[in-house]
Every structure is written in C-alpha cells, then in structure tokens.
C-alpha cells in the first residue's frame, strides 16, 4: 500500500449518559461544514496522540481513547491523505477552544441528529462504527525498548538493560500511554522490560507489577505460562474497566497475544498493539502503533 503523503487523526467522542447517545461535533467557519474533531499529525507524533490533542484544541474537551476505528484514505492535491480514527470518551473537565477562527462551535448532538448535520459520508460511517461498538477497555501490549545486544553483556541476561536509544523510546511511550488513560502497569520482571514502562509508571505515580511468568527464562521453557497469565490479565482488565499496559519480550509475545485473543504479529522495539476488550474479555478491534523517533 502506497504511503500517504498527508497523515491526520481524529476521534468519535461519545457520551452515553443520556437516554440517547451523544457525539461531539464541530463547525469550521472556513469551510462552513460540520465534522468530527480531527487534524494533521505534528512532526514525530503518533496518530493516537494527535487525535486526543486535536479534540482538546478544537473542542476544549479532554478525552481518552478506547478503541481504534477504521482509517479513511482519499486523494488530495499532494497525493493520498489518511485519517486514522479512534473511539474516545470524556476524561476530565473541559477547557477552552484553542483557535476560535478554525472552530467556532463545538456541540454535543444526539447521534440521530449528528448524522444529519455531519457534512461528510466517511465521518458518518465512522460515527456509526463507533456507536455499534460495545463498551470496551484498552489493553496495550508492548515489546520492550531497544536493549543492549546480548554479545555486549557479560552478566545474566535477565538483568540486561536498555540502551540510550531504548531510554528515548521509553520516554516517548509516556505521552502515548497517557492518551489511553493507562492506570495499571504490568511487565516481565526482566530489567529491559521494567525499564521500558517504568518512566510512565513513575510519571503517574503508579505501582509496577513485575511478573516472572512473562520473562524469557520462564516463557521459552513453557509458553503456556505466559499465555495463561496474559489471559488472566485480559479478563481482569475487561472486568475492571481499567486501561492497562503489559510489556514483554519478542519470543514471548506470540504466547501473550494468544492469551489476549489478539492476532499474531511481529513487533519492533517499543511497538505497541492496542487491543479493545469487551466486558467479557473478547477483543473486538486492535491496531499496531509504532513510535516515530527522530534520529
């Protein structure tokens, strides 16, 4: 698939507290249209972080992402533009619209009314996709950041640390995990995994749960252990509704994915799979996200 020339992201922000589900929409005076909040990615920004930022800037509403929705591609003058969409919910008190000249109105509308107001068919489709999805909680499965090569480490492998580049990746995970409202941090007890998610746990003053069952030393001998522990974690996440991240090793990740019911895939260092789980622990959608790291 050809790489898009323009990247943007947006969110379907739902409020399910009233008798009829409401969605957040904006009016842009420049185009005189009604749309879902969205905008272009800043340099080095992931689409997930962009979506939350754009909602805040265009509406003043603070949100957390709960699940990925289908992306939309279309042709613009510079080539192909891709908009990545997320389902989101309110997560904090509202602020001010950043640029009233770009967006002069932000409204909560019943879905039936929003379908009439929205100016673009693809956004109406994303709205219906979000409305059709049951309540979900995100589980973020992360491969540890770049570690020191095994050949350059003379001590036990369990204690092999991440590199300077890995520490940059770990710091970059902080804003990324925050847009999902992660409130539980689980990791293999190996040093390189703990160091990957510790900056986030430290930033939010969250306890770190270090599990020996997710280490390479345990998981390669018996992958069933990692699979069972991840399945248990997924059920806990689904039942509690607490967004959670879990960090593991490349050889153990296939077993962890099976435990979570997620699709098989390869992971780059610090790459993350966002899995949206229903209250019964069933994954309904997922998306892989790679950090953009300037050299």
């Amino acid at each position: 698939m050809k790489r898009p020339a323009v990247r943007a992201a947006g969110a379907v922000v739902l409020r399910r507290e009233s008798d009829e589900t409401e969605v957040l929409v904006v009016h842009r005076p420049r185009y005189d249209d009604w749309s879902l909040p969205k905008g272009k990615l800043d340099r080095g920004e992931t689409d997930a972080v962009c979506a939350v930022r754009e909602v805040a800037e265009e509406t003043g509403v603070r949100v957390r992402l709960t699940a990925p929705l289908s992306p939309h591609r279309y042709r613009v003058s510079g080539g192909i533009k891709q908009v990545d969409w997320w389902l989101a919910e309110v997560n904090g008190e509202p602020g001010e619209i950043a640029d009233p000249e770009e967006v002069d109105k932000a409204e909560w509308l019943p879905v039936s009314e929003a379908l009439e107001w929205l100016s673009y068919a693809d956004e109406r489709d994303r709205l219906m996709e979000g409305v059709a999805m049951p309540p979900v909680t995100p589980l973020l499965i992360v491969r540890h950041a770049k570690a020191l090569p095994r050949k350059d480490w003379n001590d036990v492998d369990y204690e092999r640390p991440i590199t300077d580049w890995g520490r940059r990746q770990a710091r970059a995970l902080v804003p990324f995990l925050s847009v999902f409202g992660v409130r539980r941090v689980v990791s293999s007890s190996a040093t390189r995994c703990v160091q990957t998610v510790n900056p986030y746990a430290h930033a939010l003053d969250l306890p770190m749960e270090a599990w020996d069952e997710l280490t390479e030393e345990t998981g390669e001998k018996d992958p069933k252990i990692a699979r069972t522990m991840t399945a248990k974690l997924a059920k806990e996440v689904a039942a509690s509704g607490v967004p959670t991240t879990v960090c593991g090793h490349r050889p153990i990740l296939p077993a962890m994915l099976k435990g979570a019911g997620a699709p098989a895939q390869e992971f780059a260092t610090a790459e993350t799979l966002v899995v949206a789980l229903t209250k019964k622990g069933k994954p309904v959608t997922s998306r892989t996200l790679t950090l953009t790291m300037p050299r």
Side-chain angles (χ1 to χ4, degrees):
M1 183 181 295
K2 188 175 181 181
R3 184 169 181 168
V6 181
R7 291 285 309 280
V12 175
V13 185
L14 298 182
R15 190 163 64 180
R16 304 178 191 260
E17 298 174 356
S18 59
D19 292 338
E20 183 173 4
T21 299
E22 296 177 319
V23 62
L24 187 61
V25 300
V26 299
H27 179 262
R28 302 183 299 177
R30 178 182 176 185
Y31 304 103
D32 191 23
D33 64 2
W34 286 92
S35 69
L36 300 171
K38 63 182 183 298
K40 294 179 182 178
L41 272 64
D42 285 343
R43 181 178 177 85
E45 191 175 46
T46 64
D47 62 85
V49 173
C50 173
V52 170
R53 175 181 58 76
E54 286 291 337
V55 171
E57 290 179 357
E58 293 189 353
T59 71
V61 177
R62 300 173 186 173
V63 302
R64 72 174 181 89
L65 306 182
T66 59
L69 299 173
S70 302
H72 178 234
R73 283 186 164 220
Y74 56 97
R75 187 167 294 279
V76 294
S77 58
I80 299 296
K81 180 175 181 178
Q82 176 170 314
V83 183
D84 290 298
W85 290 99
W86 292 88
L87 187 61
E89 61 186 27
V90 176
N91 186 39
E93 294 299 319
E96 298 294 327
I97 295 176
D99 186 357
E101 292 186 2
E102 180 180 353
V103 171
D104 60 353
K105 296 177 184 178
E107 302 281 353
W108 286 101
L109 297 178
V111 169
S112 57
E113 191 172 341
L115 289 170
E116 297 179 2
W117 283 36
L118 287 171
S119 302
Y120 307 105
D122 64 280
E123 296 192 7
R124 294 193 290 271
D125 290 342
R126 296 306 167 279
L127 171 55
M128 292 310 298
E129 182 183 355
V131 170
M133 190 175 297
V136 292
T137 304
L139 171 63
L140 284 74
I141 302 173
V142 185
R143 179 185 171 186
H144 67 72
K146 181 66 176 177
L148 195 70
R150 296 178 197 268
K151 63 181 178 61
D152 296 334
W153 181 250
N154 297 320
D155 210 331
V156 293
D157 190 66
Y158 176 86
E159 297 179 357
R160 183 159 52 94
I162 58 177
T163 63
D164 288 344
W165 180 251
R167 284 189 285 273
R168 290 180 62 187
Q169 290 177 315
R171 290 193 296 270
L173 281 171
V174 175
F176 171 71
L177 295 176
S178 68
V179 300
F180 293 92
V182 168
R183 288 298 179 270
R184 184 179 179 187
V185 182
V186 180
S187 173
S188 156
S189 58
T191 298
R192 54 195 180 276
C193 287
V194 171
Q195 288 180 334
T196 297
V197 288
N198 189 60
Y200 181 80
H202 179 75
L204 276 74
D205 195 25
L206 297 172
M208 169 77 70
E209 299 179 41
W211 293 4
D212 295 339
E213 294 90 345
L214 299 182
T215 62
E216 284 192 45
E217 288 76 7
T218 299
E220 285 194 302
K221 291 179 181 178
D222 188 357
K224 183 179 179 180
I225 296 176
R227 184 169 69 248
T228 300
M229 292 300 294
T230 308
K232 176 177 178 290
L233 177 64
K235 288 181 180 179
E236 292 174 355
V237 171
S240 67
V242 176
T244 299
T245 188
V246 57
C247 184
H249 307 259
R250 180 185 56 79
I252 313 305
L253 285 167
M256 293 173 63
L257 293 176
K258 285 184 179 179
Q265 68 165 66
E266 296 291 329
F267 282 78
T269 57
E271 198 164 53
T272 302
L273 180 68
V274 181
V275 185
L277 300 169
T278 67
K279 290 183 179 180
K280 293 184 178 181
K282 179 182 178 181
V284 293
T285 184
S286 62
R287 180 182 297 172
T288 304
L289 291 174
T290 304
L291 295 175
T292 302
M293 300 289 295
R295 292 284 180 181

